Amino acid sequence: MLTSHPTPTSLRRPEPISGAGKHRLLTGKSASFRPRLVRGGVRALISSGDSKTGVEIAADQKFIENNGSVVSSSSSLNVRAVITIRKKMKEKLIEKFEDQWESFINGIGKGILIQLISQDIIDPVTKSGKIAESFVRGWLPKLSGSPNVVQYGADVAVPQDFGQPGAILVTNFHDKEFFLMEIVVHGFSNGPIFFWADTWIHSVKDNPQSRIVFKNQASLPSQTPPGIENLRHDDLSRLRGDGKESRKLHERIYDYDLYNDLGNPDKNEGLVRPVLGTDERPYPRRIRTGRPPTRTDPNTETRIEKPHPVYVPRDETFEEVKQNTFSAGRLKAVLHNLVPLIAATLSKSDIPFTNFADIDNLYKDGFLLIDEDRKDGRKNQILTSAMKQMFTVGDRLLKYDLPAIIKRDRFAWLRDNEFARQMLAGVNPVNIELLKELPIVSELDPAIYGPPESAITRELLAKELNGINVEEAIKDKKLFILDYHDLLLPFIEKMNALPDRKAYASRTVFYYGENGILRPIVIELSLPPTDSSPRNKFVFTHGHDATTHWTWKLAKAHVCSNDAGVHQLVNHWLKTHACMEPYIIATHRQLSSMHPVYKLLHPHMRYTMEINALARQSLINGGGIIEACFSPGKYAMEVSSAAYKSLWRFDMESLPADLIRRGVGVEDPSVPGGVKLVIEDYPYAADALLVWSAIKELVESYVDHYYSEPNSISSDPELQAWWDEIKNVGHHDKRNEPWWPNLETQDDLSKILTTMIWTGSGQHAAINFGQYPFGGYPPNRPTLMRKLIPRVGDPEYEKFLQNPELTFLTSLPTKLQATKVMAVQDTLSTHSADEEYINQLHHIHRLAFNDSEVQKLFEDFSVKLEEIERIIHQRNKNVELKNRNGAGVPPYELLLPSSSPGVTGRGIPNSISI
C-alpha cells in the first residue's frame, strides 16, 4: 500500500540527491512510502508500523538527475511543476526575514519536496502508482499578478511509461506552514494537469506525513484510477483521526462532539450550563476539539476564551482578508460594547432609554464616553484620553449608521401594516402560518400548563373582522398566525425570574385583506398558570382609545421580542449554523476530495466551522452576548434545544416542503419551485422559490451526469457512509426518526443536496443579512422586554397612564443592551471583501473538471442567477406589490444574489461565512 509518511528524522534538512549521494525519507509509524536510492535496478517492499523495512526505489546513479528527480529507466520525460503559494498580506519584520530564509532554502532545493504519483502505471511490487519526485528549486520565486502570490518551479524527470499523474505528495521541510494554492504540471502530452489545493501544508516538525493533493478531476470511488486508490483511502483516514487527544491548531481532523463547551463552571456557579446533545436536550453535533474536562464538572469541556483561537480543522479557518474584515468588525464591536460598559460603570447603573431622542442620538451624535455626573473628573479624563489614543477617535465613540427600516420613514415601525409586512419581508419571514382551524389548541400538558384552548375565540375574531364571516375567512385562507406559545411557555417562569426580564408566550393572528394587505388583529400573551390565575392568558386588540392604543403597542413589542429570540436561536443559529456543521464534518470524513459530491458541496462549506466556533466562544456561550441581550437569557440554548427536539426535521428544511407545511403555499408543478403562494405578495417566499429552483435544476443535472448508471447511488460506498453518518452521528439524537429520506435514487440525492445547499446559501442569507437593517432600531425589534404590560391594579398602572411613552421605552432593552446587540447585528450583517457569492463561477468549478458539460452546468447556473436578480429588481419596482414597494417601504433585496462588501442588506454568499 502506498502512503506518504516522511520520517521523523526528516526534520533535519535532507541532502539533495546527486550523482555522488543518496536521499532518504524515513518513515513515520504507519504504513508508508519511503524512497531510497541504491544501485542495481528497482525493488520495493511494503512497510508497516515501526518495521525497519521500507519501500525502496532504486536507480542506477547515472539516471539520477541533479535536481533530485527519480528516474527508473534510461529514457525519461522532463516535466515541470509550477507551485503557486500565497504569502501573508501583512508581515511583521521577523516574518519577512523568515520568508527570505525560506526562499533561500527553496533556492538550494531543500524546502519543499513534491512526489508525482502515476494514476495509471502500477508498480508490480507496491501495487500502487509509480513515483517521480523532485525538490522545488529556484532562488527567486516568480511573482504572479497578485503581490501576495508567488510561484516556484520543480523539474521532474519521469519514466516514459509513467502515464499520467493522479496525485502529488507535498512535504514541507520548512519550520512553518505555507498556503498552497495549486500545482500545475506541464510537459505531458495532453496539456497541463491541474492539482487544485487551497490548503495549508504543515511542517514536518508538526506532522511527518506528506500532504496528498489529487488531480482536479471528479471521480466516483468505483472510477478511482488504480495508482491512487490507496491514497484516496489514506487521505480520508487521516481526516477522520482516531478520536483521541486534544486537537492542535495545525491539524485537519474532523470528528464529532456534544455541545458541552458553553458553560464555565470552574469560573463561577452562574456560568454552569447543561450539555446539549443528550436524550433530555437533543442537539446537532459540533466539531470535536478534545480539550480536557473542567475541574468541577467532568461532563463539561474546558473553554478557550477570546482572543485565543478555538480549534477548527486548519483549512476551515478564515483567510487573511476575512480575518482583517472580521477583526475590524470585532474592533467596532469593542467600541460599541466597551464604551457603554465604561459609561454604565461610571454611572453605577445601566441606563434605560427615557425618550425617543435618546435613541435618535445613537445615529446623530453617538453615545458619549464622558459622563457629566462623574465625581472623579481627572480619572475619567485619563480614561477618555487613553481611549482616544487606542482608537484614534474623538469622544463620540458610539455613532451608528441609520438602519434601513427608518431611513425612508422613521415612523414606519409604529404602524400595524409594517409590523405585519415584516412577517413576510423582514429578517424572520419563516414562521407565519395559515390558521387552518378553530379553536386554537396547545399540545402542552394541561396538568402543568393549564387549559389547552387559546383565549383567541371565534367570537373575538368575528368582532375584529368587522362582520366578515370567520369560517369563510378560514376557508378562503385569509387568516394567518404567528404562534410561539408552545415553544416558549415552558420557559417563561424561569425567564421571568431573571433580573429585568419579563416575557410572555405569544400568539398573533393576522388577516389578509382583499386589498392585499396583511394586518394583525389579535394578540394573545400567556403566562404559566398559578393557583390564583389558572388561565393566565391576556388578549389585546388595537382598539381606538388612548390606553388600548398604548397597550397594543406594548403587546406588539412583546411579540417582536419573542420573534427576535426565535429568529436568532432557532431559525438562524440552530437551523442554519448548527445543522450545517454535521454535514460539513461528514463530507470531509466520508467523501474524498475527488468525489463529485464533495466538489459540489465544497464552496458551500467555507468558513462555517470557524464562525460557529467563534459563536460558541463569544455569542451563545454562558454569559455571552445572546444571553445578555435576548429574552431567554441563560436558558437561550435550552430553548434552541427544545426547538430542535419538537420542530426540526430534515425533510421539512426543503423550502417547498416548509412553505406547504406552513400552509402559505400549495403544490403546483407549473410554477418555479413547484409551489404556488397563498399570499402572492410574499417577498421572501417569492424570491426564495426562484433561487431554490435554480439550485434544484443545477443539482439534478449534476447528479444525473455522475450517476447515470442504475444502482450507482446505492453502490457508492463513500456516499452511503456519508449519509449514514449524517443521520446516525451528526444528528445522533434524531437518528431513529422515520422522516429521514432514503438515499437510493438520483432523485433522493438531488433533494438532499438541494436542501443542504439552499440552507447554507439562500436560507442563511435571507435571515442573516437583514439583522442590522431591521434590528438596528431597538423599538422596531427589541430583543428583550424588561416589564410586563401594566394592568389595572398593578403598582405601575398609574405611572403608565401618566407617561405611557416612558413605560414603553423603559420596557425596551437598556442603552447598554441595545448597543451590544446593534454592534453584533452590524458585524453579522457585514459582507467581507473576499465573500464568494452564489452567482459567481467558483474556482473549484472552473478548474476541477475536465468535463465541458459540467462546466456548462455551472455557467448556466450563473446566468440563471443573473436573470433572477433582474426579476427581483423588477418586482421591487412593481407598485402592485405593496410589501416591497410604496411610500417609505424599503425594497426587498435580501435574496439578490450579488453584493458589494459591507452592510448592504443583499447578497447570497455560497456559505454561512458570518
Side-chain angles (χ1 to χ4, degrees):
M1 175 179 177
L2 176 66
T3 57
S4 50
H5 304 245
T7 69
T9 57
S10 66
L11 294 176
R12 300 191 297 268
R13 298 291 196 281
E15 294 295 327
I17 301 172
S18 67
K22 303 174 184 179
H23 166 65
R24 168 178 286 188
L25 289 177
L26 304 177
T27 64
K29 288 192 174 182
S30 59
S32 63
F33 173 76
R34 113 187 137 173
R36 183 160 63 89
L37 300 178
V38 297
R39 292 181 180 273
V42 178
R43 64 180 185 273
L45 298 170
I46 300 299
S47 70
S48 179
D50 292 324
S51 170
K52 301 300 181 183
T53 306
V55 179
E56 297 179 341
I57 290 186
D60 194 285
Q61 284 186 351
K62 66 182 179 180
F63 299 132
I64 302 174
E65 302 293 330
N66 288 334
N67 63 8
S69 301
V70 176
V71 185
S72 62
S73 68
S74 58
S75 60
S76 62
L77 173 69
N78 290 317
V79 301
R80 183 168 180 80
V82 177
I83 294 90
T84 304
I85 294 173
R86 189 180 68 220
K87 298 287 188 180
K88 288 189 69 173
M89 296 169 60
K90 297 179 180 179
E91 291 185 309
K92 300 176 183 176
L93 184 60
I94 185 66
E95 290 173 330
K96 292 181 179 179
F97 285 125
E98 289 174 348
D99 280 347
Q100 291 176 359
W101 171 251
E102 288 179 5
S103 296
F104 172 76
I105 295 300
N106 288 335
I108 61 176
K110 290 188 177 182
I112 303 171
L113 174 70
I114 65 168
Q115 298 169 293
L116 273 58
I117 312 298
S118 172
Q119 68 177 22
D120 307 307
I121 307 303
I122 305 299
D123 184 289
V125 179
T126 66
K127 308 301 182 185
S128 294
K130 287 192 173 184
I131 294 180
E133 69 175 35
S134 174
F135 274 88
V136 167
R137 297 186 73 107
W139 292 105
L140 293 173
K142 180 183 177 183
L143 297 177
S144 69
S146 168
N148 307 308
V149 176
V150 297
Q151 294 179 333
Y152 289 94
D155 295 315
V156 188
V158 300
Q160 289 288 353
D161 63 350
F162 186 82
Q164 292 276 324
I168 296 178
L169 307 186
V170 183
T171 310
N172 173 17
F173 291 100
H174 293 295
D175 289 334
K176 64 179 184 179
E177 65 184 1
F178 66 86
F179 190 84
L180 176 64
M181 298 178 69
E182 68 174 3
I183 301 174
V184 183
V185 181
H186 302 269
F188 286 94
S189 57
N190 29 350
I193 302 173
F194 292 87
F195 293 80
W196 171 80
D198 265 13
T199 185
W200 289 96
I201 306 296
H202 58 262
S203 167
V204 292
K205 287 177 57 179
D206 294 322
N207 182 350
Q209 293 179 323
S210 300
R211 282 294 308 283
I212 305 168
V213 180
F214 293 106
K215 183 169 70 172
N216 290 350
Q217 183 170 339
S219 298
L220 296 172
S222 61
Q223 300 166 340
T224 309
I228 59 174
E229 187 172 357
N230 289 341
L231 286 179
R232 181 169 185 151
H233 296 303
D234 192 31
D235 193 44
L236 284 174
S237 178
R238 296 183 192 181
L239 290 167
R240 293 174 193 141
D242 59 7
K244 300 176 182 178
E245 299 181 353
S246 180
R247 298 274 63 88
K248 300 176 181 63
L249 294 178
H250 70 268
E251 293 179 323
R252 297 168 62 250
I253 294 177
Y254 296 78
D255 204 354
Y256 301 92
D257 210 339
L258 307 174
Y259 274 71
N260 61 354
D261 62 339
L262 302 180
N264 194 350
D266 285 352
K267 190 171 184 179
N268 64 64
E269 291 183 2
L271 293 178
V272 173
R273 296 294 180 270
V275 173
L276 304 184
T278 64
D279 291 341
E280 183 181 0
R281 295 183 180 89
Y283 218 63
R285 296 304 188 257
R286 64 167 175 97
I287 190 70
R288 179 184 177 274
T289 67
R291 296 193 300 268
T294 59
R295 297 188 311 274
T296 52
D297 181 5
N299 295 317
T300 298
E301 184 175 274
T302 52
R303 287 183 52 77
I304 300 293
E305 302 294 352
K306 61 183 181 180
H308 303 292
V310 178
Y311 170 80
V312 294
R314 185 64 181 98
D315 289 341
E316 305 298 327
T317 57
F318 290 163
E319 295 177 21
E320 195 171 3
V321 172
K322 179 72 170 181
Q323 286 176 339
N324 292 340
T325 301
F326 195 71
S327 295
R330 290 181 72 179
L331 175 60
K332 194 171 184 181
V334 167
L335 289 172
H336 291 177
N337 294 338
L338 181 60
V339 177
L341 184 59
I342 293 171
T345 301
L346 293 173
S347 63
K348 304 299 181 185
S349 65
D350 196 357
I351 307 167
F353 294 110
T354 56
N355 55 66
F356 283 97
D358 286 348
I359 301 174
D360 292 341
N361 286 339
L362 293 175
Y363 317 105
K364 294 178 182 177
D365 298 327
F367 193 80
L368 299 180
L369 173 63
I370 298 175
D371 181 12
E372 294 178 357
D373 298 326
R374 63 186 182 269
K375 296 179 181 179
D376 188 348
R378 182 175 176 276
K379 178 180 177 181
N380 290 323
Q381 287 174 358
I382 294 172
L383 182 59
T384 304
S385 176
M387 293 295 292
K388 287 181 180 179
Q389 292 176 17
M390 285 174 61
F391 302 116
T392 63
V393 294
D395 290 335
R396 294 177 179 180
L397 299 177
L398 266 174
K399 186 176 180 181
Y400 286 88
D401 295 329
L402 202 63
I405 190 61
I406 59 167
K407 187 174 289 186
R408 296 183 179 211
D409 182 353
R410 61 179 300 198
F411 300 110
W413 67 276
L414 284 166
R415 295 194 297 268
D416 284 354
N417 65 340
E418 178 59 26
F419 171 82
R421 190 190 74 85
Q422 290 183 33
M423 304 304 161
L424 304 173
V427 70
N428 190 41
V430 295
N431 283 112
I432 190 167
E433 301 184 11
L434 184 71
L435 180 59
K436 298 176 181 178
E437 60 183 6
L438 290 172
I440 303 167
V441 179
S442 169
E443 295 182 4
L444 297 175
D445 184 353
I448 301 174
Y449 299 105
E453 294 81 15
S454 168
I456 301 175
T457 62
R458 182 177 281 98
E459 293 73 24
L460 179 60
L461 290 174
K463 180 181 178 181
E464 294 304 314
L465 288 174
N466 297 320
I468 297 173
N469 183 274
V470 174
E471 301 303 328
E472 288 295 321
I474 293 176
K475 180 181 176 182
D476 294 340
K477 299 182 178 180
K478 297 293 185 182
L479 291 178
F480 295 84
I481 188 170
L482 188 70
D483 193 345
Y484 296 138
H485 179 277
D486 285 10
L487 175 62
L488 295 179
L489 190 60
F491 295 93
I492 293 297
E493 186 174 359
K494 294 189 291 186
M495 289 162 55
N496 287 349
L498 297 172
D500 288 328
R501 303 288 171 97
K502 290 296 180 282
Y504 303 89
S506 61
R507 291 186 177 107
T508 310
V509 175
F510 301 83
Y511 177 70
Y512 181 56
E514 299 300 330
N515 57 0
I517 298 297
L518 188 71
R519 61 182 177 90
I521 56 173
V522 180
I523 293 173
E524 177 193 68
L525 301 179
S526 299
L527 296 171
T530 63
D531 292 340
S532 59
S533 300
R535 190 175 175 83
N536 249 347
K537 303 176 188 292
F538 311 104
V539 173
F540 300 86
T541 58
H542 40 76
H544 300 287
D545 64 278
T547 302
T548 306
H549 176 81
W550 275 104
T551 55
W552 176 247
K553 276 185 174 54
L554 286 165
K556 287 195 298 180
H558 275 279
V559 172
C560 287
S561 173
N562 286 347
D563 192 64
V566 172
H567 162 260
Q568 198 67 263
L569 295 167
V570 180
N571 299 324
H572 182 211
W573 168 255
L574 168 66
K575 289 192 172 186
T576 63
H577 284 260
C579 285
M580 278 296 294
E581 189 154 339
Y583 311 154
I584 297 170
I585 297 172
T587 298
H588 285 284
R589 285 171 54 88
Q590 300 298 342
L591 298 181
S592 166
S593 60
M594 303 171 66
H595 200 290
V597 171
Y598 176 95
K599 292 186 180 298
L600 178 67
L601 289 178
H602 184 272
H604 306 289
M605 304 187 292
R606 184 181 188 231
Y607 292 158
T608 302
M609 295 181 72
E610 170 84 343
I611 199 67
N612 285 4
L614 291 169
R616 291 194 301 274
Q617 191 177 41
S618 304
L619 292 179
I620 64 171
N621 59 301
I625 291 174
I626 298 299
E627 288 192 359
C629 302
F630 284 78
S631 285
K634 63 186 290 186
Y635 307 105
M637 291 302 289
E638 291 184 60
V639 171
S640 189
S641 171
Y644 180 68
K645 183 176 185 177
S646 62
L647 301 176
W648 188 86
R649 43 186 289 177
F650 182 87
D651 60 332
M652 290 294 112
E653 295 307 293
S654 152
L655 175 67
D658 174 64
L659 295 173
I660 293 168
R661 177 192 64 80
R662 290 193 283 125
V664 295
V666 293
E667 194 169 358
D668 184 347
S670 67
V671 297
V675 174
K676 182 178 180 181
L677 296 175
V678 172
I679 299 176
E680 183 179 352
D681 186 12
Y682 187 172
Y684 157 77
D687 294 356
L689 284 168
L690 293 177
V691 177
W692 169 274
S693 62
I695 295 171
K696 178 173 179 284
E697 182 180 337
L698 167 68
V699 171
E700 287 177 344
S701 300
Y702 187 90
V703 168
D704 287 344
H705 180 81
Y706 284 103
Y707 290 97
S708 57
E709 298 298 321
N711 303 318
S712 55
I713 299 278
S714 58
S715 63
D716 183 335
E718 288 184 7
L719 192 67
Q720 292 299 323
W722 169 77
W723 185 234
D724 181 75
E725 188 166 284
I726 286 172
K727 293 185 297 181
N728 293 306
V729 185
H731 286 273
H732 178 79
D733 306 321
K734 295 273 190 175
R735 64 193 182 281
N736 296 321
E737 296 289 353
W739 39 254
W740 283 105
N742 294 319
L743 181 52
E744 298 174 355
T745 67
Q746 286 89 339
D747 186 54
D748 294 338
L749 180 57
S750 296
K751 288 178 179 177
I752 290 168
L753 293 176
T754 302
T755 298
M756 290 180 178
I757 293 172
W758 162 252
T759 300
S761 58
Q763 181 67 4
H764 178 258
I767 59 180
N768 179 72
F769 293 105
Q771 288 194 74
Y772 187 78
F774 286 97
Y777 187 66
N780 179 65
R781 197 167 175 77
T783 55
L784 61 81
M785 296 293 283
R786 302 192 304 131
K787 295 180 181 179
L788 296 176
I789 299 175
R791 300 181 61 78
V792 176
D794 292 344
E796 294 291 318
Y797 190 72
E798 286 302 319
K799 294 180 182 178
F800 164 63
L801 294 180
Q802 293 296 322
N803 193 342
E805 179 181 317
L806 183 63
T807 298
F808 180 86
L809 288 170
T810 54
S811 297
L812 300 180
T814 64
K815 291 181 181 180
L816 175 58
Q817 291 167 331
T819 52
K820 277 186 176 182
V821 170
M822 291 163 71
V824 173
Q825 290 174 333
D826 186 45
T827 301
L828 296 181
S829 301
T830 300
H831 292 291
S832 65
D834 72 336
E835 197 79 271
E836 296 176 352
Y837 297 97
I838 195 171
N839 64 320
Q840 297 170 329
L841 192 62
H842 193 270
H843 59 270
I844 192 174
H845 300 146
R846 195 178 289 117
L847 297 174
F849 303 101
N850 295 326
D851 190 324
S852 59
E853 183 178 336
V854 172
Q855 287 195 357
K856 189 173 188 307
L857 292 179
F858 289 101
E859 290 167 0
D860 291 345
F861 180 62
S862 294
V863 171
K864 181 77 171 178
L865 288 167
E866 290 173 5
E867 175 61 24
I868 288 171
E869 190 151 321
R870 286 192 289 272
I871 292 171
I872 293 174
H873 282 306
Q874 290 171 359
R875 287 174 173 176
N876 285 332
K877 294 177 182 178
N878 186 345
V879 295
E880 299 298 320
L881 301 177
K882 298 180 177 61
N883 287 324
R884 60 201 309 161
N885 187 290
V889 176
Y892 186 75
E893 298 182 329
L894 287 170
L895 284 166
L896 283 170
S898 68
S899 177
S900 56
V903 181
T904 63
R906 59 176 289 173
I908 304 177
N910 271 321
S911 61
I912 299 171
S913 58
I914 189 67

